[in-house]
């Protein structure tokens, strides 16, 4: 067995939430993975298939207490936990050579002031944060492959940054404004994006047959999107971003619509061709043909992200859809793991979207 074919021992901290069970589902289908440890504060001793019968016969490991010392026996540990948990364990794990992929926000924002403001906590391991990689493969693959710690992006920022990547790159290439300084991101998510805990505003009678905005005065994913546009994508212009998320009455799925006003120079660009060229080698990003619009069901339960483009005079509309629990969370985390271990990015992730 070659070095790349050796089985990878995985630990999952926080395996009872929606992203946790998605990690278990996807990793159970990965040919080179062994889930060695699965933790939960509330379900210790119970087999995962008791809590999630869909995994019966697929994964029957029992939940255990989170024990950092035992986690050091793993090759990689996924944290599907609330914000602030991964950074507590990171110093010990990284000192023992364990790789970390955090699905919360501990290693997303490099601006510590912004992190404290939006997550109401101070960061415990700044040095590890500075050495971590932001886990958006289609943009940051070169850093992810050598990283020991990866901060998995938020679901909304994934759609926003990938939706803007081709535009910012073309604008930087031409060194002239192609779009107006204002970027409007109108985003919608299924209810699973709010997590699995019981909350009054998320029960069926409150969310069914209803459509609502939230975080209008400010949302913690906004600084992450701004970091992506100005830092990760390296925009040479000072774009002002207006981001408004909405909750829609569906279980899973995300649809982000990005509205841009084109300058005279921007109106001369064939944006369809720009997007197709930028993502032609990206397996998980599908730029749809002209006049074909994406729908959330086109990506359900898969790691694919689909982009539709509509150009009308001085208005450019970018529509981005993904499954918020897969490409927006667990699937992207597995994609990052594959890169970190030098594997084919698609391993365990070639899941065809579910229809209907």
């Amino acid at each position: 067995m070659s070095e790349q074919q050796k089985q990878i021992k995985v630990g999952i901290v926080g395996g009872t939430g929606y992203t946790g069970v998605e990690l278990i589902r996807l990793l159970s289908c990965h040919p080179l993975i062994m889930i060695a440890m699965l933790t939960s504060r509330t379900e210790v001793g119970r087999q995962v298939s008791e809590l999630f019968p869909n995994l019966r016969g697929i994964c029957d490991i029992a939940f255990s207490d989170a024990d950092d010392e035992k986690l050091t026996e793993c090759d990689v540990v996924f944290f599907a936990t609330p914000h602030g948990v991964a950074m507590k364990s990171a110093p010990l794990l990284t000192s023992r050579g364990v790789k970390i992929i955090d699905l919360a926000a501990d290693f997303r924002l490099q601006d510590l002031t912004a992190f404290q403001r939006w997550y109401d906590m101070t960061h415990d391991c700044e040095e590890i944060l500075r050495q971590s990689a932001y886990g958006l493969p289609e943009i940051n693959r070169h850093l992810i492959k050598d990283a020991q710690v990866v901060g998995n992006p938020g679901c909304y920022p994934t759609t926003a940054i990938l939706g803007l990547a081709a535009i910012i790159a073309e604008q930087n290439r031409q060194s002239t404004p192609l779009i107006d300084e204002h970027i409007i991101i109108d985003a919608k998510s299924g209810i699973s994006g709010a997590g699995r805990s019981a909350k009054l505003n998320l029960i069926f009678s409150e969310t069914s047959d209803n459509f609502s905005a939230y975080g209008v005065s400010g949302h913690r994913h906004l600084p992450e999107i701004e970091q992506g546009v100005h830092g990760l994508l390296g925009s040479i212009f000072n774009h002002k971003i207006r981001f408004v998320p909405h909750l829609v009455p569906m279980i899973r799925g995300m649809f982000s619509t990005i509205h841009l006003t084109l300058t005279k120079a921007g109106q001369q660009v064939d944006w369809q061709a720009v997007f197709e060229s930028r993502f032609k080698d990206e397996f998980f990003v599908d730029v749809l043909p002209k006049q074909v619009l994406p729908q959330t069901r086109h990506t359900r339960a898969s790691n694919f992200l689909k982009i539709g483009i509509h150009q009308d005079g001085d208005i450019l509309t970018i529509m981005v859809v993904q499954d918020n629990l897969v490409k927006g969370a667990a699937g992207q985390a597995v994609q990052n793991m594959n890169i970190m271990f030098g594997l084919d990015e698609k391993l365990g992730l070639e899941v065809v979207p579910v229809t209907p």
Side-chain angles (χ1 to χ4, degrees):
M1 186 178 288
S2 69
E3 186 65 27
Q4 286 196 352
Q5 291 175 321
K6 289 182 179 178
Q7 201 167 48
I8 298 168
K9 293 177 65 176
V10 168
I12 301 174
V13 179
T16 59
Y18 291 136
T19 55
V21 70
E22 282 294 85
L23 277 172
I24 299 168
R25 177 178 73 92
L26 294 170
L27 291 171
S28 294
C29 298
H30 196 294
L32 300 179
I33 291 301
M34 178 185 71
I35 301 177
M37 190 172 178
L38 184 61
T39 82
S40 168
R41 292 173 299 174
T42 59
E43 305 295 342
V44 176
R46 294 185 67 185
Q47 288 188 326
V48 65
S49 55
E50 291 182 57
L51 203 60
F52 301 108
N54 62 307
L55 295 173
R56 181 176 171 81
I58 304 299
C59 180
D60 292 310
I61 189 173
F63 289 104
S64 61
D65 273 321
D67 183 326
D68 285 351
E69 193 62 44
K70 289 183 179 178
L71 286 170
T72 62
E73 299 173 10
C74 297
D75 297 307
V76 59
V77 175
F78 293 86
F79 283 86
T81 53
H83 312 298
V85 175
M87 63 183 175
K88 303 288 186 186
S89 300
L92 175 62
L93 296 181
T94 56
S95 72
R96 302 287 185 85
V98 180
K99 297 181 188 293
I100 292 174
I101 300 173
D102 181 32
L103 281 79
D106 296 18
F107 299 100
R108 291 176 186 167
L109 293 177
Q110 289 292 326
D111 185 333
L112 294 179
T113 301
F115 178 82
Q116 184 167 358
R117 174 192 174 192
W118 290 100
Y119 294 95
D120 196 27
M121 64 181 76
T122 56
H123 207 286
D124 286 347
C125 49
E126 181 179 352
E127 184 177 347
I128 295 175
L129 171 66
R130 298 302 181 212
Q131 297 172 3
S132 67
Y134 185 71
L136 194 55
E138 291 78 11
I139 307 294
N140 230 15
R141 186 177 285 112
H142 62 295
L143 295 179
I144 296 168
K145 69 182 182 66
D146 295 321
Q148 187 175 3
V149 177
V150 166
N152 213 58
C155 48
Y156 284 125
T158 295
T159 60
I161 297 169
L162 289 180
L164 290 165
I167 296 168
I168 301 300
E170 181 68 13
Q171 183 166 261
N172 289 347
R173 188 182 71 81
Q174 296 199 18
S175 298
T176 185
L178 300 177
I179 62 173
D180 182 75
E181 64 179 5
H182 293 91
I183 297 173
I184 298 173
I185 304 170
D186 181 10
K188 291 95 174 171
S189 176
I191 298 165
S192 61
R196 195 165 178 257
S197 59
K199 299 175 184 176
L200 178 61
N201 66 313
L202 299 178
I203 64 174
F204 181 80
S205 56
E206 296 288 330
T207 56
S208 179
D209 195 29
N210 190 35
F211 184 100
S212 60
Y214 64 99
V216 177
S217 60
H219 189 279
R220 57 181 48 166
H221 280 174
L222 176 58
E224 190 179 339
I225 295 170
E226 292 174 331
Q227 175 183 267
V229 170
H230 299 131
L232 198 62
L233 300 181
S235 174
I236 61 176
F237 297 97
N238 185 30
H239 297 296
K240 299 175 182 177
I241 300 170
R242 180 66 171 146
F243 168 63
V244 180
H246 301 75
L247 192 66
V248 296
M250 61 184 183
I251 295 173
R252 60 200 300 164
M254 177 166 286
F255 198 130
S256 293
T257 305
I258 303 170
H259 301 281
L260 305 165
T261 300
L262 299 170
T263 64
K264 288 185 178 179
Q267 293 174 47
Q268 306 307 311
V269 176
D270 182 347
W271 289 107
Q272 179 74 30
V274 167
F275 271 80
E276 289 177 357
S277 175
R278 170 61 181 83
F279 292 111
K280 61 183 173 60
D281 296 322
E282 295 294 348
F283 181 78
F284 291 115
V285 178
D286 180 19
V287 178
L288 301 175
K290 282 186 178 181
Q291 299 182 341
V292 177
L293 305 181
Q295 300 177 31
T296 56
R297 66 176 178 170
H298 294 164
T299 59
R300 186 178 297 142
S302 80
N303 197 54
F304 291 97
L305 178 144
K306 294 184 182 289
I307 301 177
I309 300 125
H310 181 70
Q311 186 173 348
D312 187 7
D314 65 344
I315 300 297
L316 182 64
T317 303
I318 311 300
M319 293 151 284
V320 187
V321 302
Q322 68 176 5
D323 187 308
N324 58 293
L325 295 177
V326 188
K327 183 58 174 171
Q332 185 146 255
V334 174
Q335 189 179 354
N336 281 319
M337 180 201 69
N338 285 336
I339 295 170
M340 294 168 81
F341 285 90
L343 305 174
D344 185 332
E345 283 183 40
K346 302 188 293 296
L347 272 181
L349 293 172
E350 294 184 85
V351 180
V352 177
V354 176
T355 299

